Amino acid sequence: MDGPDIPTSVNEPLDLVKLSLSERVFVKLRGDRTLQGVLHAYDAHMNLVLSEVEETVSIIDVSEDGVAQGVRTAKRNMDMLFVRGDAVIMIAPPSS
Amino acid sequence: MLMFSVFKTLTEQVVTVELKNDLCVMGTLKSVDQFLNIRLDNIKMSVKNCFIRGSVVRYVQIPRTAVDTTLLEDATRREAQEGKK
């Protein structure tokens, strides 16, 4: 292959996710959902296993004529969670 | 294959499966296959057991004690490495 085989090097996008194993990550999902939790496992489909998860669901209130009235958020905590990869949009280290 | 193995170790555990239509089903995980289709037993609904197509799953809530996180992280690193070969 190209380049020396250094185990810690970042050669493909998912290597960046590997660096976040056992760290707190921010995950953006389809359907206006975000998660924050400690990453324990992922695979090529971006299926994830997270612990100490806080889920935030954004609910946009819309009046009858279709004008956005503002955003409400609902939060929920879960101990240990499997997330199916097809809903994942983005995985990031949390903004500290 | 990693997540398939994870779910295989979770059989006989009580899990809550949240579907993409917001429905939550709690029950005993009886079996899982390579598509992460899930068979649940002892569910609190009009039927006693059910089969859930993997693609309609959003989350599966797992009991914390059923997971060895260190083992999981090592297995993830190993699979990430194997994928490159």
Side-chain angles (χ1 to χ4, degrees), chain B residues 42-73:
Chain B
N42 304 322
I43 61 175
K44 309 262 186 299
M45 280 196 194
S46 51
V47 288
K48 276 245 251 331
N49 50 67
C50 71
F51 174 92
I52 298 169
R53 186 178 154 99
S55 64
V56 302
V57 172
R58 180 187 292 138
Y59 303 136
V60 182
Q61 292 182 47
I62 302 164
R64 215 217 147 100
T65 48
V67 182
D68 182 339
T69 53
T70 327
L71 204 70
L72 206 52
E73 285 158 23

mmCIF file of all heavy atoms in Angstrom, chain B residues 42-73:
data_model
loop_
_atom_site.group_PDB
_atom_site.id
_atom_site.type_symbol
_atom_site.label_atom_id
_atom_site.label_comp_id
_atom_site.label_asym_id
_atom_site.label_seq_id
_atom_site.Cartn_x
_atom_site.Cartn_y
_atom_site.Cartn_z
ATOM 1 N N ASN B 42 -41.357 -12.277 25.220
ATOM 2 C CA ASN B 42 -41.935 -11.676 26.436
ATOM 3 C C ASN B 42 -42.187 -10.179 26.286
ATOM 4 O O ASN B 42 -41.904 -9.409 27.195
ATOM 5 C CB ASN B 42 -41.033 -11.886 27.658
ATOM 6 C CG ASN B 42 -40.732 -13.347 27.904
ATOM 7 O OD1 ASN B 42 -41.596 -14.192 27.726
ATOM 8 N ND2 ASN B 42 -39.509 -13.639 28.291
ATOM 9 N N ILE B 43 -42.691 -9.743 25.133
ATOM 10 C CA ILE B 43 -42.923 -8.310 24.954
ATOM 11 C C ILE B 43 -44.271 -7.931 25.559
ATOM 12 O O ILE B 43 -45.178 -8.747 25.656
ATOM 13 C CB ILE B 43 -42.830 -7.885 23.471
ATOM 14 C CG1 ILE B 43 -43.881 -8.583 22.618
ATOM 15 C CG2 ILE B 43 -41.440 -8.157 22.930
ATOM 16 C CD1 ILE B 43 -43.885 -8.109 21.192
ATOM 17 N N LYS B 44 -44.361 -6.646 25.979
ATOM 18 C CA LYS B 44 -45.559 -6.158 26.681
ATOM 19 C C LYS B 44 -46.536 -5.579 25.652
ATOM 20 O O LYS B 44 -46.730 -4.377 25.571
ATOM 21 C CB LYS B 44 -45.174 -5.082 27.697
ATOM 22 C CG LYS B 44 -44.050 -5.482 28.636
ATOM 23 C CD LYS B 44 -44.599 -5.979 29.967
ATOM 24 C CE LYS B 44 -43.499 -6.233 30.962
ATOM 25 N NZ LYS B 44 -42.513 -7.258 30.539
ATOM 26 N N MET B 45 -47.087 -6.451 24.847
ATOM 27 C CA MET B 45 -48.024 -5.988 23.820
ATOM 28 C C MET B 45 -49.088 -7.044 23.640
ATOM 29 O O MET B 45 -49.131 -8.025 24.359
ATOM 30 C CB MET B 45 -47.293 -5.778 22.493
ATOM 31 C CG MET B 45 -46.538 -4.488 22.423
ATOM 32 S SD MET B 45 -46.135 -4.131 20.743
ATOM 33 C CE MET B 45 -44.947 -2.862 20.963
ATOM 34 N N SER B 46 -49.922 -6.831 22.631
ATOM 35 C CA SER B 46 -50.995 -7.785 22.373
ATOM 36 C C SER B 46 -50.436 -9.133 21.916
ATOM 37 O O SER B 46 -51.099 -10.157 22.050
ATOM 38 C CB SER B 46 -51.943 -7.224 21.323
ATOM 39 O OG SER B 46 -51.207 -6.796 20.217
ATOM 40 N N VAL B 47 -49.229 -9.124 21.370
ATOM 41 C CA VAL B 47 -48.584 -10.381 21.011
ATOM 42 C C VAL B 47 -47.423 -10.638 21.962
ATOM 43 O O VAL B 47 -46.871 -9.711 22.548
ATOM 44 C CB VAL B 47 -48.088 -10.376 19.548
ATOM 45 C CG1 VAL B 47 -49.248 -10.464 18.598
ATOM 46 C CG2 VAL B 47 -47.237 -9.161 19.273
ATOM 47 N N LYS B 48 -47.037 -11.901 22.087
ATOM 48 C CA LYS B 48 -46.011 -12.274 23.080
ATOM 49 C C LYS B 48 -44.588 -12.117 22.553
ATOM 50 O O LYS B 48 -43.694 -11.713 23.271
ATOM 51 C CB LYS B 48 -46.218 -13.733 23.513
ATOM 52 C CG LYS B 48 -47.251 -13.898 24.633
ATOM 53 C CD LYS B 48 -46.607 -14.416 25.894
ATOM 54 C CE LYS B 48 -46.902 -15.841 26.329
ATOM 55 N NZ LYS B 48 -48.130 -16.486 26.026
ATOM 56 N N ASN B 49 -44.402 -12.447 21.277
ATOM 57 C CA ASN B 49 -43.056 -12.305 20.712
ATOM 58 C C ASN B 49 -43.140 -11.707 19.319
ATOM 59 O O ASN B 49 -44.203 -11.688 18.701
ATOM 60 C CB ASN B 49 -42.331 -13.648 20.691
ATOM 61 C CG ASN B 49 -43.163 -14.733 20.075
ATOM 62 O OD1 ASN B 49 -43.441 -14.702 18.889
ATOM 63 N ND2 ASN B 49 -43.590 -15.697 20.887
ATOM 64 N N CYS B 50 -42.008 -11.177 18.845
ATOM 65 C CA CYS B 50 -42.032 -10.546 17.530
ATOM 66 C C CYS B 50 -40.667 -10.610 16.861
ATOM 67 O O CYS B 50 -39.654 -10.846 17.503
ATOM 68 C CB CYS B 50 -42.510 -9.101 17.625
ATOM 69 S SG CYS B 50 -41.325 -8.020 18.409
ATOM 70 N N PHE B 51 -40.700 -10.393 15.572
ATOM 71 C CA PHE B 51 -39.498 -10.335 14.741
ATOM 72 C C PHE B 51 -39.432 -8.916 14.186
ATOM 73 O O PHE B 51 -40.419 -8.420 13.646
ATOM 74 C CB PHE B 51 -39.616 -11.365 13.619
ATOM 75 C CG PHE B 51 -38.504 -11.310 12.622
ATOM 76 C CD1 PHE B 51 -37.375 -12.098 12.792
ATOM 77 C CD2 PHE B 51 -38.591 -10.476 11.520
ATOM 78 C CE1 PHE B 51 -36.347 -12.046 11.860
ATOM 79 C CE2 PHE B 51 -37.563 -10.421 10.593
ATOM 80 C CZ PHE B 51 -36.435 -11.210 10.761
ATOM 81 N N ILE B 52 -38.298 -8.251 14.335
ATOM 82 C CA ILE B 52 -38.158 -6.873 13.862
ATOM 83 C C ILE B 52 -37.113 -6.825 12.752
ATOM 84 O O ILE B 52 -35.981 -7.289 12.938
ATOM 85 C CB ILE B 52 -37.743 -5.938 15.013
ATOM 86 C CG1 ILE B 52 -38.810 -5.929 16.099
ATOM 87 C CG2 ILE B 52 -37.501 -4.519 14.500
ATOM 88 C CD1 ILE B 52 -38.383 -5.257 17.379
ATOM 89 N N ARG B 53 -37.501 -6.277 11.612
ATOM 90 C CA ARG B 53 -36.555 -6.105 10.510
ATOM 91 C C ARG B 53 -35.480 -5.102 10.929
ATOM 92 O O ARG B 53 -35.805 -4.016 11.426
ATOM 93 C CB ARG B 53 -37.292 -5.599 9.267
ATOM 94 C CG ARG B 53 -36.408 -5.525 8.042
ATOM 95 C CD ARG B 53 -37.176 -5.057 6.821
ATOM 96 N NE ARG B 53 -36.267 -4.418 5.875
ATOM 97 C CZ ARG B 53 -35.770 -5.033 4.813
ATOM 98 N NH1 ARG B 53 -36.071 -6.274 4.569
ATOM 99 N NH2 ARG B 53 -34.956 -4.374 3.995
ATOM 100 N N GLY B 54 -34.215 -5.459 10.709
ATOM 101 C CA GLY B 54 -33.101 -4.629 11.161
ATOM 102 C C GLY B 54 -33.157 -3.187 10.687
ATOM 103 O O GLY B 54 -32.822 -2.264 11.428
ATOM 104 N N SER B 55 -33.639 -2.980 9.451
ATOM 105 C CA SER B 55 -33.574 -1.647 8.847
ATOM 106 C C SER B 55 -34.531 -0.646 9.498
ATOM 107 O O SER B 55 -34.384 0.556 9.294
ATOM 108 C CB SER B 55 -33.878 -1.738 7.355
ATOM 109 O OG SER B 55 -35.192 -2.190 7.162
ATOM 110 N N VAL B 56 -35.524 -1.112 10.264
ATOM 111 C CA VAL B 56 -36.473 -0.170 10.879
ATOM 112 C C VAL B 56 -36.061 0.219 12.303
ATOM 113 O O VAL B 56 -36.740 0.996 12.956
ATOM 114 C CB VAL B 56 -37.924 -0.721 10.894
ATOM 115 C CG1 VAL B 56 -38.392 -1.028 9.495
ATOM 116 C CG2 VAL B 56 -38.063 -1.930 11.803
ATOM 117 N N VAL B 57 -34.924 -0.314 12.742
ATOM 118 C CA VAL B 57 -34.448 -0.023 14.102
ATOM 119 C C VAL B 57 -33.721 1.320 14.131
ATOM 120 O O VAL B 57 -32.914 1.607 13.247
ATOM 121 C CB VAL B 57 -33.496 -1.143 14.588
ATOM 122 C CG1 VAL B 57 -32.834 -0.776 15.910
ATOM 123 C CG2 VAL B 57 -34.243 -2.458 14.713
ATOM 124 N N ARG B 58 -34.006 2.139 15.134
ATOM 125 C CA ARG B 58 -33.218 3.362 15.344
ATOM 126 C C ARG B 58 -32.192 3.119 16.446
ATOM 127 O O ARG B 58 -31.003 3.297 16.231
ATOM 128 C CB ARG B 58 -34.126 4.536 15.707
ATOM 129 C CG ARG B 58 -33.333 5.829 15.933
ATOM 130 C CD ARG B 58 -34.194 6.963 16.447
ATOM 131 N NE ARG B 58 -35.146 7.427 15.453
ATOM 132 C CZ ARG B 58 -36.405 7.723 15.732
ATOM 133 N NH1 ARG B 58 -36.863 7.579 16.959
ATOM 134 N NH2 ARG B 58 -37.209 8.163 14.792
ATOM 135 N N TYR B 59 -32.685 2.725 17.637
ATOM 136 C CA TYR B 59 -31.800 2.447 18.763
ATOM 137 C C TYR B 59 -32.117 1.086 19.363
ATOM 138 O O TYR B 59 -33.248 0.595 19.247
ATOM 139 C CB TYR B 59 -32.023 3.438 19.921
ATOM 140 C CG TYR B 59 -31.859 4.892 19.615
ATOM 141 C CD1 TYR B 59 -32.783 5.817 20.108
ATOM 142 C CD2 TYR B 59 -30.772 5.360 18.896
ATOM 143 C CE1 TYR B 59 -32.634 7.171 19.880
ATOM 144 C CE2 TYR B 59 -30.629 6.718 18.660
ATOM 145 C CZ TYR B 59 -31.564 7.622 19.154
ATOM 146 O OH TYR B 59 -31.401 8.947 18.932
ATOM 147 N N VAL B 60 -31.150 0.511 20.052
ATOM 148 C CA VAL B 60 -31.416 -0.592 20.975
ATOM 149 C C VAL B 60 -30.799 -0.209 22.315
ATOM 150 O O VAL B 60 -29.586 0.005 22.402
ATOM 151 C CB VAL B 60 -30.828 -1.936 20.484
ATOM 152 C CG1 VAL B 60 -31.178 -3.046 21.465
ATOM 153 C CG2 VAL B 60 -31.326 -2.279 19.095
ATOM 154 N N GLN B 61 -31.619 -0.083 23.340
ATOM 155 C CA GLN B 61 -31.107 0.206 24.679
ATOM 156 C C GLN B 61 -30.706 -1.102 25.335
ATOM 157 O O GLN B 61 -31.496 -2.039 25.409
ATOM 158 C CB GLN B 61 -32.165 0.916 25.519
ATOM 159 C CG GLN B 61 -32.475 2.310 25.019
ATOM 160 C CD GLN B 61 -33.488 3.013 25.898
ATOM 161 O OE1 GLN B 61 -33.373 3.018 27.103
ATOM 162 N NE2 GLN B 61 -34.496 3.602 25.263
ATOM 163 N N ILE B 62 -29.467 -1.130 25.817
ATOM 164 C CA ILE B 62 -28.824 -2.348 26.301
ATOM 165 C C ILE B 62 -28.566 -2.187 27.793
ATOM 166 O O ILE B 62 -28.224 -1.086 28.229
ATOM 167 C CB ILE B 62 -27.475 -2.527 25.559
ATOM 168 C CG1 ILE B 62 -27.683 -2.585 24.049
ATOM 169 C CG2 ILE B 62 -26.737 -3.750 26.034
ATOM 170 C CD1 ILE B 62 -26.409 -2.361 23.267
ATOM 171 N N PRO B 63 -28.708 -3.269 28.607
ATOM 172 C CA PRO B 63 -28.295 -3.140 29.998
ATOM 173 C C PRO B 63 -26.790 -2.925 30.092
ATOM 174 O O PRO B 63 -26.018 -3.625 29.437
ATOM 175 C CB PRO B 63 -28.712 -4.470 30.644
ATOM 176 C CG PRO B 63 -28.999 -5.392 29.541
ATOM 177 C CD PRO B 63 -29.280 -4.599 28.312
ATOM 178 N N ARG B 64 -26.380 -1.951 30.862
ATOM 179 C CA ARG B 64 -24.974 -1.552 30.957
ATOM 180 C C ARG B 64 -24.073 -2.690 31.423
ATOM 181 O O ARG B 64 -22.950 -2.860 30.951
ATOM 182 C CB ARG B 64 -24.880 -0.392 31.963
ATOM 183 C CG ARG B 64 -23.836 0.602 31.585
ATOM 184 C CD ARG B 64 -23.103 1.159 32.746
ATOM 185 N NE ARG B 64 -21.758 1.419 32.278
ATOM 186 C CZ ARG B 64 -21.324 2.603 31.919
ATOM 187 N NH1 ARG B 64 -22.078 3.644 32.047
ATOM 188 N NH2 ARG B 64 -20.106 2.749 31.457
ATOM 189 N N THR B 65 -24.603 -3.483 32.351
ATOM 190 C CA THR B 65 -23.815 -4.560 32.947
ATOM 191 C C THR B 65 -23.511 -5.682 31.955
ATOM 192 O O THR B 65 -22.621 -6.496 32.194
ATOM 193 C CB THR B 65 -24.572 -5.156 34.146
ATOM 194 O OG1 THR B 65 -25.917 -5.416 33.743
ATOM 195 C CG2 THR B 65 -24.591 -4.209 35.317
ATOM 196 N N ALA B 66 -24.255 -5.719 30.842
ATOM 197 C CA ALA B 66 -24.077 -6.803 29.874
ATOM 198 C C ALA B 66 -22.938 -6.526 28.901
ATOM 199 O O ALA B 66 -22.625 -7.355 28.056
ATOM 200 C CB ALA B 66 -25.378 -7.017 29.100
ATOM 201 N N VAL B 67 -22.296 -5.352 29.015
ATOM 202 C CA VAL B 67 -21.293 -4.958 28.041
ATOM 203 C C VAL B 67 -19.938 -4.743 28.716
ATOM 204 O O VAL B 67 -19.840 -4.020 29.705
ATOM 205 C CB VAL B 67 -21.721 -3.662 27.320
ATOM 206 C CG1 VAL B 67 -20.699 -3.278 26.268
ATOM 207 C CG2 VAL B 67 -23.086 -3.824 26.693
ATOM 208 N N ASP B 68 -18.904 -5.386 28.184
ATOM 209 C CA ASP B 68 -17.532 -5.136 28.618
ATOM 210 C C ASP B 68 -16.944 -4.104 27.658
ATOM 211 O O ASP B 68 -16.599 -4.419 26.519
ATOM 212 C CB ASP B 68 -16.716 -6.434 28.587
ATOM 213 C CG ASP B 68 -15.287 -6.224 29.077
ATOM 214 O OD1 ASP B 68 -14.814 -5.076 29.059
ATOM 215 O OD2 ASP B 68 -14.652 -7.221 29.475
ATOM 216 N N THR B 69 -16.850 -2.844 28.103
ATOM 217 C CA THR B 69 -16.502 -1.753 27.189
ATOM 218 C C THR B 69 -15.056 -1.857 26.688
ATOM 219 O O THR B 69 -14.781 -1.541 25.532
ATOM 220 C CB THR B 69 -16.721 -0.394 27.875
ATOM 221 O OG1 THR B 69 -16.022 -0.383 29.122
ATOM 222 C CG2 THR B 69 -18.186 -0.141 28.128
ATOM 223 N N THR B 70 -14.147 -2.328 27.542
ATOM 224 C CA THR B 70 -12.743 -2.455 27.128
ATOM 225 C C THR B 70 -12.614 -3.473 26.002
ATOM 226 O O THR B 70 -11.941 -3.231 24.995
ATOM 227 C CB THR B 70 -11.872 -2.909 28.314
ATOM 228 O OG1 THR B 70 -12.404 -2.366 29.506
ATOM 229 C CG2 THR B 70 -10.445 -2.465 28.149
ATOM 230 N N LEU B 71 -13.302 -4.596 26.189
ATOM 231 C CA LEU B 71 -13.294 -5.669 25.184
ATOM 232 C C LEU B 71 -13.861 -5.157 23.865
ATOM 233 O O LEU B 71 -13.334 -5.443 22.786
ATOM 234 C CB LEU B 71 -14.140 -6.829 25.723
ATOM 235 C CG LEU B 71 -13.872 -8.214 25.191
ATOM 236 C CD1 LEU B 71 -12.527 -8.715 25.688
ATOM 237 C CD2 LEU B 71 -14.974 -9.174 25.626
ATOM 238 N N LEU B 72 -14.929 -4.373 23.981
ATOM 239 C CA LEU B 72 -15.624 -3.822 22.822
ATOM 240 C C LEU B 72 -14.709 -2.880 22.038
ATOM 241 O O LEU B 72 -14.638 -2.933 20.800
ATOM 242 C CB LEU B 72 -16.855 -3.066 23.324
ATOM 243 C CG LEU B 72 -18.045 -2.919 22.401
ATOM 244 C CD1 LEU B 72 -18.460 -4.265 21.860
ATOM 245 C CD2 LEU B 72 -19.193 -2.288 23.146
ATOM 246 N N GLU B 73 -13.969 -2.032 22.753
ATOM 247 C CA GLU B 73 -13.075 -1.076 22.092
ATOM 248 C C GLU B 73 -11.920 -1.809 21.396
ATOM 249 O O GLU B 73 -11.537 -1.440 20.281
ATOM 250 C CB GLU B 73 -12.539 -0.070 23.122
ATOM 251 C CG GLU B 73 -13.596 0.959 23.508
ATOM 252 C CD GLU B 73 -13.325 1.608 24.850
ATOM 253 O OE1 GLU B 73 -12.158 1.607 25.288
ATOM 254 O OE2 GLU B 73 -14.283 2.127 25.462
#
